[in-house]
Amino acid sequence: MSTPHVVVVMGVAGTGKTTIGPLLAAALGVPYAEGDDFHPPANIAKMSAGTPLDDADRWPWLDAIGQWAHGRAGLGGVVSSSALKRAYRDRLRREAPGAVFLHLTGDRSLIEERMAARKGHFMPTALLDSQFATLQPLEDDEAGVAVDVSGTPEEITQRAVAALRRLDS
């Protein structure tokens, strides 16, 4: 990429945001921030219990991610956030207007299989349906790209870097 963007790696749980985010950051030569680390303990407890977050739970989390992204404006960075709804992405853009979104997409059965294989993650596979029900894909007027998550993490990262470069040209 020719300019140091802040890239928000988004998508439903299990698409590989935590795996692809650091690989993408390394490929771009910028720092990575794990979006889950911005959740307050109450959010993690709620999700661990199998209860989806509501918007009131998400606003402070999104604001914290947006503040991190704002601090990286002009410097570049990669941060993960499900950013499932347009309203959530708009909230992130209010803090970091130059942010671009990398939407990790994939077949539901592949994502569920990957979620089931994870060890020690607070998000149960039972919440995957609510994630897909909430998802609003990127719209044409949003700065971002969608990349399929089939293949190895390295292949996905290569596709992401190529797609982001095309977005920049």
Side-chain angles (χ1 to χ4, degrees):
M1 293 173 56
S2 62
T3 57
H5 293 289
V6 173
V7 179
V8 179
V9 181
M10 63 167 282
V12 299
T15 53
K17 296 181 295 292
T18 298
T19 300
I20 302 305
L23 293 173
L24 179 62
L28 298 176
V30 297
Y32 171 72
E34 171 54 52
D36 287 342
D37 293 344
F38 294 91
H39 275 298
N43 283 10
I44 292 175
K46 194 171 184 178
M47 289 183 285
S48 295
T51 305
L53 299 180
D54 59 28
D55 286 352
D57 298 319
R58 286 188 182 95
W59 298 136
W61 172 64
L62 290 165
D63 290 344
I65 292 171
Q67 289 162 10
W68 183 90
H70 176 81
R72 297 298 311 163
L75 303 171
V78 175
V79 62
S80 59
S81 170
S82 52
L84 297 177
K85 288 185 182 179
R86 170 72 187 247
Y88 304 160
R89 298 187 296 272
D90 289 345
R91 187 134 180 162
L92 290 169
R93 277 190 291 269
R94 273 196 289 278
E95 290 286 336
V100 297
F101 292 83
L102 170 64
H103 182 185
L104 298 178
T105 65
D107 179 71
R108 189 193 186 289
S109 61
L110 172 65
I111 293 167
E112 186 172 19
E113 178 183 308
R114 289 181 178 175
M115 279 184 79
R118 295 193 302 195
K119 302 291 182 230
H121 195 277
F122 61 82
M123 177 70 86
T125 56
L127 290 181
L128 191 55
D129 287 337
S130 73
Q131 293 259 303
F132 272 106
T134 302
L135 176 64
Q136 296 171 345
L138 290 171
E139 297 178 25
D140 290 342
D141 66 334
E142 293 185 272
V145 295
V147 172
D148 184 79
V149 297
S150 58
T152 67
E154 294 74 20
E155 291 168 339
I156 298 163
T157 301
Q158 287 174 356
R159 286 196 302 269
V161 169
L164 289 165
R165 285 199 172 118
R166 284 191 300 275
L167 184 68
D168 230 13
S169 56

